[in-house]
Amino acid sequence: MSCNLPYLKLCNRTIETQWSWISWIFLLLLFVLPDMYTAILICVITLIETWVVYELYNAREYAKKINEK
């Protein structure tokens, strides 16, 4: 997800808020689903967390470049 500068903070908060809710749902599913699905769910959580961190890092780097100009 790429963000324009005026909406950079809003976009970061949206990503963080969405991930926060999704991660809680996934964590609850870990306790409800049978054992054979927990490994798959852990992999999905890890992949999504990696993507969220990557997007937030890119947004921060983009903001730094804009502020240097």
Side-chain angles (χ1 to χ4, degrees), residues 1-21 48-49 51-64 66-67:
M1 172 186 278
S2 63
C3 304
N4 295 333
L5 183 59
Y7 305 105
L8 191 60
K9 279 192 170 186
L10 178 63
C11 187
N12 282 345
R13 298 226 174 178
T14 302
I15 294 171
E16 290 177 79
T17 304
Q18 287 175 349
W19 172 241
S20 179
W21 281 105
I48 294 173
E49 180 69 25
W51 175 76
V52 168
V53 169
Y54 175 76
E55 287 295 325
L56 293 174
Y57 177 78
N58 284 341
R60 185 179 69 192
E61 291 301 313
Y62 179 72
K64 282 182 183 178
I66 296 298
N67 288 331

Side-chain angles (χ1 to χ4, degrees), residues 39-55:
I40 295 169
L41 193 58
I42 290 169
C43 291
V44 169
I45 292 170
T46 304
L47 287 172
I48 294 173
E49 180 69 25
T50 303
W51 175 76
V52 168
V53 169
Y54 175 76
E55 287 295 325

Side-chain angles (χ1 to χ4, degrees), residues 14-46:
T14 302
I15 294 171
E16 290 177 79
T17 304
Q18 287 175 349
W19 172 241
S20 179
W21 281 105
I22 294 169
S23 67
W24 278 108
I25 292 169
F26 280 147
L27 289 173
L28 290 173
L29 286 174
L30 282 174
F31 295 105
V32 176
L33 290 174
D35 288 341
M36 63 185 219
Y37 294 112
T38 56
I40 295 169
L41 193 58
I42 290 169
C43 291
V44 169
I45 292 170
T46 304

